[in-house]
């Protein structure tokens, strides 16, 4: 990736680091295992004297990046000047773990809605959101690689308590919302596979989450291997359904290459952004890249970091390509099922007419989707659907728990056992999930749609800090800070996402405001607070 910056390498000798004068102005990203003790001590004293300032760019050495409870770091070896497949395989893992959030049950539900309403016409938008996701995820990963600390730790360092506490609460709320979606998806999968009641499936899903969590004790590579295996299961299940559907390749190509949004699919188009790009994923990716041990001695530091950035971007691109394939297959299958007059469809014309009328009144949910697949492909349809949905729900639960762990420890300095962390998160999310599952199970899908909206609303609270830190030369150094073109592109992306959120919020605000004067006051105040807080994050100074 081009950064628009000079490519000069570090030539400082270790001996020059052994002076307080150098340490006084050294970015924390240059403090590593080779930095002399006197420099670390001086930096620690300087940090402790100004720790109350939000603009301080160097924290105490104990706040250096750590990855807890996932075993030893993965040694990626010495820097190599040429491309190495072996080196790529050593870096492989964090990007695939990050990509899990792109195929969680919320995304699956969004995909089938897009296919049902817009046919193949939104495939291009699905690809575009994955491409934007790659750019955003690359920024968060670079922050972790270059500075040696994750996004949450930088938020703790750069923002005052008055900013980081509400920021943490919003991000935690988004994680809990995602946790609810994952529990619902897993419960529905268990219902489809074994006929287990949804409320019982929710309880079982909570218990199954601890199985994957226990594997963290055996190291990051073990967890990553399981997550990659679950991605393979999803690719297999949903891929077979595409082959069974035998869709029109010409229409698929047109949907991918011709940008257009049908008038009746605007809500689904906006929902794609909220469902695909998750706020907690930025915190997760910036932390997981720290599981790779990068050589940071002064003689090879710059080259090693550039190498790590290259392989991380490449691995993330490959992982998101698989995620796009999974989402696209789901969209294509339901576009085929709902396409009236398509001779390749397995459904009769009368069923097509029913689906057309039903789509105008009510979009299909995860359970209804299984019934449609059974009509189209027989018993194999819902079976493959349920297995893929189960893999989606359980894998995304694991990554959501890890993201919450890094967020709590990094931003609030609250060290919590991942077991306790999951217990707290699941306990909070279990109450509304159980209520919906037992008292209003037919509204599960509407509940899921609102949770996608929540993810979209929370995204700027992770995206804006990511852009601020990635463009800061004080944090990223002159060599790795974003260049002008990428800064402009990043802020244009953030502005577009915020505009989409206003598009989502404004009708709701106007509807509430029309009810009463008090309702109007609360609605407009809530909208104002939301925009004001995003503005504070955008304009607060983060440089030293």
């Amino acid at each position: 990736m081009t950064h628009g910056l000079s490519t000069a390498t570090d030539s400082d000798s270790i001996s020059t680091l052994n002076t307080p004068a150098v340490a006084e102005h050294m970015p924390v990203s240059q403090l590593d295992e080779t930095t002399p003790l006197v420099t670390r001590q001086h930096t620690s004293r300087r940090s402790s004297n100004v720790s109350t300032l939000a603009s301080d760019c160097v924290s105490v050495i104990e706040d250096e990046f750590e990855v807890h409870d996932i075993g030893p770091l993965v040694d990626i070896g010495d820097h190599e000047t040429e491309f190495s497949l072996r080196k790529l395989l050593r870096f492989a893992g964090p990007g695939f773990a990050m990509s899990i959030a792109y195929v969680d049950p919320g995304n699956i539900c969004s995909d089938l809605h897009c296919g049902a309403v817009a046919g193949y016409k939104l495939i291009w938008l699905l690809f575009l959101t994955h491409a934007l996701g790659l750019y955003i995820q690359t920024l968060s990963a670079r922050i972790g690689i270059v500075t040696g600390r994750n996004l949450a730790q930088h938020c703790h360092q750069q923002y005052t308590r008055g900013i980081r506490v509400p920021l943490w609460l919003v991000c935690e709320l988004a994680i809990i919302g995602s946790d609810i979606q994952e529990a619902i998806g897993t419960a529905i999968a268990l219902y489809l596979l074994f006929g287990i009641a949804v409320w019982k499936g929710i309880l079982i899903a909570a218990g199954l989450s601890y199985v994957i969590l226990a594997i963290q004790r055996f190291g990051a590579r073990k967890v990553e291997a399981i997550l990659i295996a679950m991605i393979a299961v999803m690719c297999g299940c949903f891929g077979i359904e595409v082959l069974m559907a035998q869709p029109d390749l010409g229409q698929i190509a047109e949907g991918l290459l011709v940008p257009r949004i049908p008038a009746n699919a605007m809500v689904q188009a906006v929902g794609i952004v909220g469902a695909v790009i998750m706020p907690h994923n930025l915190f997760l990716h910036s932390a997981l890249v720290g599981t790779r041990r990068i050589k940071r001695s002064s003689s090879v530091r710059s080259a090693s970091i550039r190498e790590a950035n290259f392989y991380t971007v490449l691995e993330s691109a490959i992982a998101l390509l698989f995620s796009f394939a999974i989402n696209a297959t789901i969209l294509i299958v339901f576009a085929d099922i709902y396409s009236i007059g398509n001779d390749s469809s397995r459904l009769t014309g009368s069923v097509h007419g029913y689906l057309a009328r039903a789509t105008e009144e009510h979009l299909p949910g995860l359970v209804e989707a299984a019934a449609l697949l059974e009509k189209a492909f027989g018993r194999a349809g819902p079976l493959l659907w349920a297995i893929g949905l189960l893999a989606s729900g359980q894998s995304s639960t694991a990554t959501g728990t890890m993201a919450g762990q890094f967020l709590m420890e990094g931003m609030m300095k609250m060290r919590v056992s991942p077991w306790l962390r999951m217990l707290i998160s699941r306990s909070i999310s279990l109450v509304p999930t159980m209520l919906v599952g037992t008292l209003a199970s037919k509204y599960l899908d509407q509940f899921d749609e609102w949770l996608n909206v929540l993810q979209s609303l929370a995204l700027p609270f992770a995206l804006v800090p990511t852009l601020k830190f990635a463009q800061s030369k004080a944090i990223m150094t002159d060599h790795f800070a974003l260049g002008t073109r990428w800064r402009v592109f990043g802020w244009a992306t953030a502005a577009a996402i915020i505009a989409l959120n206003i598009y989502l919020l404004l009708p709701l605000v106007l509807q509430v405001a029309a009810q009463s004067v008090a309702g109007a006051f609360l609605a407009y105040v809530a909208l104002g607070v939301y925009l004001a807080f995003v503005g504070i994050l955008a304009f607060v100074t983060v440089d030293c």
Side-chain angles (χ1 to χ4, degrees):
M1 178 177 292
T2 301
H3 310 299
L5 298 166
S6 64
T7 57
T9 59
D10 298 334
S11 59
D12 299 334
S13 65
I14 295 178
S15 60
T16 61
L17 298 176
N18 203 18
T19 61
V22 174
E24 183 69 33
H25 302 287
M26 180 181 293
V28 71
S29 56
Q30 293 184 353
L31 296 175
D32 53 52
E33 66 274 7
T34 65
T35 306
L37 179 61
V38 63
T39 304
R40 296 177 179 232
Q41 290 173 339
H42 181 87
T43 306
S44 298
R45 290 195 299 270
R46 175 167 60 89
S47 177
S48 63
N49 292 334
V50 293
S51 59
T52 58
L53 298 178
S55 60
D56 176 42
C57 286
V58 181
S59 63
V60 295
I61 200 69
E62 295 80 60
D63 289 339
E64 292 272 6
F65 179 79
E66 296 179 47
V67 181
H68 300 299
D69 301 305
I70 51 177
L73 301 183
V74 178
D75 189 1
I76 52 90
D78 296 328
H79 168 68
E80 301 178 20
T81 56
E82 297 182 355
F83 174 79
S84 169
L85 180 60
R86 183 181 68 256
K87 181 66 70 73
L88 175 61
L89 293 177
R90 290 177 180 174
F91 275 99
F96 281 93
M98 167 272 296
S99 70
I100 290 291
Y102 288 71
V103 290
D104 72 348
N107 279 291
I108 291 177
C109 190
S110 175
D111 295 334
L112 72 91
H113 288 172
C114 289
V117 174
Y120 305 100
K121 296 182 178 66
L122 294 181
I123 298 178
W124 70 272
L125 184 58
L126 188 64
F127 180 81
L128 178 62
T129 55
H130 279 76
L132 291 177
L134 175 61
Y135 168 72
I136 295 170
Q137 296 294 159
T138 297
L139 295 184
S140 68
R142 282 168 54 86
I143 291 172
I145 292 171
V146 174
T147 69
R149 286 192 307 232
N150 62 45
L151 180 61
Q153 290 172 322
H154 281 289
C155 288
H156 175 86
Q157 179 187 11
Q158 297 295 333
Y159 296 135
T160 62
R161 184 175 180 84
I163 295 178
R164 66 173 178 262
V165 170
L167 178 62
W168 171 67
L169 290 175
V170 170
C171 293
E172 285 286 359
L173 183 62
I175 291 177
I176 291 173
S178 178
D179 197 44
I180 293 174
Q181 289 179 306
E182 293 145 10
I184 291 175
T186 302
I188 291 176
L190 293 173
Y191 167 75
L192 295 174
L193 286 171
F194 308 109
I196 299 174
V198 172
W199 69 270
K200 293 180 180 178
I202 293 172
L203 293 176
I204 294 174
L208 289 175
S209 304
Y210 287 94
V211 176
I212 297 179
L213 187 63
I215 301 174
Q216 287 190 26
R217 300 291 182 178
F218 299 98
R221 298 293 275 179
K222 303 296 188 300
V223 177
E224 292 163 359
I226 291 177
L227 295 178
I228 291 174
M230 290 190 176
I231 292 176
V233 169
M234 285 184 271
C235 286
C237 291
F238 300 133
I240 292 174
E241 290 185 334
V242 167
L243 296 177
M244 297 170 68
Q246 300 178 358
D248 187 325
L249 297 181
Q251 292 188 38
I252 294 175
E254 183 180 354
L256 178 62
L257 300 176
V258 181
R260 50 182 171 171
I261 300 177
N264 64 330
M266 185 60 68
V267 174
Q268 284 71 36
V270 174
I272 286 180
V273 179
V276 171
I277 306 176
M278 297 284 191
H280 68 268
N281 226 22
L282 301 181
F283 294 97
L284 175 69
H285 202 194
S286 69
L288 288 181
V289 293
T291 60
R292 270 51 184 174
R293 189 186 301 278
I294 301 172
K295 305 296 182 182
R296 293 182 181 272
S297 59
S298 60
S299 59
V300 298
R301 175 184 174 276
S302 181
S304 295
I305 290 177
R306 291 186 187 280
E307 179 186 56
N309 284 336
F310 169 76
Y311 283 109
T312 297
V313 172
L314 181 57
E315 187 241 354
S316 298
I318 294 172
L320 288 180
L321 189 61
F322 279 100
S323 297
F324 167 72
I326 292 172
N327 285 307
T329 55
I330 297 170
L331 186 152
I332 290 169
V333 166
F334 286 93
D336 179 75
I337 289 177
Y338 276 81
S339 57
I340 302 176
N342 185 355
D343 294 335
S344 66
S345 174
R346 302 304 182 94
L347 301 182
T348 64
S350 59
V351 175
H352 271 310
Y354 165 75
L355 292 179
R357 292 189 300 271
T359 304
E360 296 176 356
E361 301 172 359
H362 171 67
L363 290 173
L366 296 175
V367 177
E368 294 168 312
L372 294 174
L373 290 170
E374 185 171 15
K375 292 178 181 178
F377 311 126
R379 177 56 187 158
L383 179 61
L384 292 169
W385 176 256
I387 294 174
L389 187 58
L390 182 62
S392 169
Q394 282 304 287
S395 58
S396 54
T397 294
T399 56
T401 299
M402 288 190 289
Q405 178 186 347
F406 295 131
L407 180 67
M408 183 179 292
E409 292 179 7
M411 193 178 296
M412 301 306 294
K413 298 302 176 187
M414 296 168 58
R415 180 71 189 277
V416 178
S417 165
W419 301 89
L420 180 59
R421 160 77 206 180
M422 180 175 285
L423 178 62
I424 295 173
S425 176
R426 273 293 159 108
S427 297
I428 296 174
S429 63
L430 199 61
V431 175
T433 308
M434 286 292 291
L435 287 175
V436 175
T438 55
L439 302 179
S441 58
K442 65 179 180 179
Y443 297 110
L444 280 174
D445 297 303
Q446 290 90 325
F447 192 43
D448 190 71
E449 290 176 10
W450 279 106
L451 292 174
N452 279 341
V453 172
L454 172 63
Q455 300 296 329
S456 182
L457 294 176
L459 181 57
F461 297 101
L463 177 57
V464 170
T466 300
L467 288 169
K468 294 285 288 186
F469 301 152
Q471 73 181 22
S472 170
K473 294 183 179 181
I475 294 175
M476 298 290 288
T477 75
D478 291 338
H479 301 305
F480 299 105
L482 284 181
T484 302
R485 287 177 298 175
W486 287 114
R487 282 205 307 269
V488 172
F489 179 76
W491 286 110
T493 300
I497 291 173
I498 293 171
L500 287 176
N501 287 338
I502 295 176
Y503 175 84
L504 285 173
L505 275 178
L506 199 55
L508 179 62
V509 169
L510 295 176
Q511 182 180 359
V512 174
Q515 302 298 321
S516 64
V517 176
F521 175 78
L522 292 176
Y524 288 122
V525 167
L527 179 61
V529 169
Y530 175 83
L531 295 177
F533 194 56
V534 173
I536 290 173
L537 292 176
F539 292 104
V540 68
T541 301
V542 299
D543 296 343
C544 289

